[in-house]
Amino acid sequence: VRCQLELLELLATLRDEGRCVVMILHDLALAREAGDRALLLHNGVPIYDGTAEALFSSGCVEEAFGVHPLPGAGVRFERV
């Protein structure tokens, strides 16, 4: 976990310096925390392209994973 946080801090520094940072993540909580934008693929087809925060209210998480994001701090889900 410590190494993950250190890497995220480094990537945020690079972003703040004006560099483009592209990450491929399968951890939705990490994507929400670390990402400014998100591109969600479902069966290889893009179904969402927008802010990481808005992804969780877009309905696309339900479509791709069959779970519903619960409101509140952090990222928690319930089955659809």
Side-chain angles (χ1 to χ4, degrees):
V1 173
R2 181 179 50 87
C3 292
Q4 186 179 46
L5 293 174
E6 288 174 2
L7 178 59
L8 291 176
E9 289 171 3
L10 172 62
L11 295 174
T13 299
L14 293 172
R15 179 199 62 216
D16 293 345
E17 291 174 355
R19 296 194 169 116
C20 178
V21 176
V22 177
M23 294 186 286
I24 299 170
L25 301 171
H26 294 102
D27 180 334
L28 292 177
L30 186 57
R32 184 179 199 174
E33 179 182 332
D36 296 325
R37 298 194 54 80
L39 174 66
L40 178 62
L41 304 178
H42 182 54
N43 295 324
V45 177
I47 62 169
Y48 178 83
D49 182 4
T51 66
E53 185 65 31
L55 167 63
F56 295 88
S57 61
S58 69
C60 294
V61 171
E62 290 90 338
E63 180 181 345
F65 299 105
V67 296
H68 176 73
L70 296 172
V75 178
R76 297 180 13 233
F77 302 96
E78 66 184 0
R79 292 179 190 245
V80 174

